[in-house]
Amino acid sequence: METTPRGILVLRPSKRKALLLLAISLGFTVVGVLMIREGDGFDGWLVAVVFGLGLGVALVNLWPGASYLKLTARGMECRSLFRRWFYAWDTVSEFGVARITYWKKMVVFNSSGSSHPRLRAVNRAFVGTTDGLPETYGMKAEELADLLNEWRRYGSEQIQSD
């Protein structure tokens, strides 16, 4: 993978993770349907619906173009489940890593955007930053944060030289 900030770099989520979520969700959805058929009404429906939603998310993530992180000299464009947002490099702070659960870390940062002020306040209270990326795109969180900081420095230098 190219780490020198030039042109455009597109990072995609791990297909392996999406396939694992698909397999687990499919298995539990089937278990939920079997529970319904055996007479465990509420519990069966709960299992089938929750894991059915997970099945849908996994299928969408396997769709080409549904999720990615695009890095350019201007900023980064993040797309997750077909929802897209853009951050210019001069509107974001240094990227860091926050531990969300015992086994999960995510890349976090502060931005000067004004969207969703309540959500940003909740994020700041729990994690200490306003924003985070939904994926690590097949990289370790620390590696992705370093890569993004390099692109951010490069983008800031390009903006100042223009």
Side-chain angles (χ1 to χ4, degrees):
M1 175 181 7
E2 177 184 328
T3 58
T4 305
R6 273 184 253 137
I8 296 173
L9 176 63
V10 179
L11 303 173
R12 302 208 182 272
S14 167
K15 294 271 190 222
R16 195 177 80 203
K17 275 186 186 177
L19 290 170
L20 181 62
L21 177 62
L22 180 81
I24 290 170
S25 296
L26 179 62
F28 277 104
T29 301
V30 169
V31 167
V33 170
L34 293 174
M35 288 171 66
I36 294 167
R37 290 183 67 188
E38 293 293 320
D40 292 331
F42 179 76
D43 293 340
W45 278 105
L46 184 63
V47 170
V49 168
V50 168
F51 286 98
L53 290 171
L55 184 63
V57 167
L59 286 170
V60 168
N61 268 332
L62 287 170
W63 194 275
S67 299
Y68 61 78
L69 180 65
K70 184 189 300 183
L71 308 178
T72 69
R74 288 189 25 214
M76 66 177 184
E77 179 183 310
C78 186
R79 186 168 182 160
S80 181
L81 299 175
F82 291 108
R83 187 176 150 258
R84 181 177 20 193
W85 58 98
F86 179 83
Y87 293 98
W89 293 124
D90 60 348
T91 66
V92 297
S93 68
E94 284 282 315
F95 293 88
V97 176
R99 183 172 294 280
I100 303 306
T101 63
Y102 179 74
W103 61 87
K104 180 163 174 57
K105 294 178 182 178
M106 74 185 295
V107 174
V108 295
F109 58 98
N110 288 307
S111 73
S112 59
S114 62
S115 63
H116 309 290
R118 287 186 185 145
L119 178 60
R120 292 164 54 84
V122 169
N123 288 346
R124 189 181 298 279
F126 280 107
V127 184
T129 61
T130 60
D131 296 278
L133 295 177
E135 276 275 340
T136 57
Y137 305 95
M139 303 172 75
K140 291 185 177 183
E142 293 82 4
E143 292 171 352
L144 180 58
D146 290 344
L147 177 69
L148 291 169
N149 283 324
E150 186 177 337
W151 277 78
R152 180 178 168 269
R153 281 188 292 279
Y154 169 76
S156 296
E157 290 168 4
Q158 294 301 310
I159 291 169
Q160 290 174 358
S161 68
D162 288 344

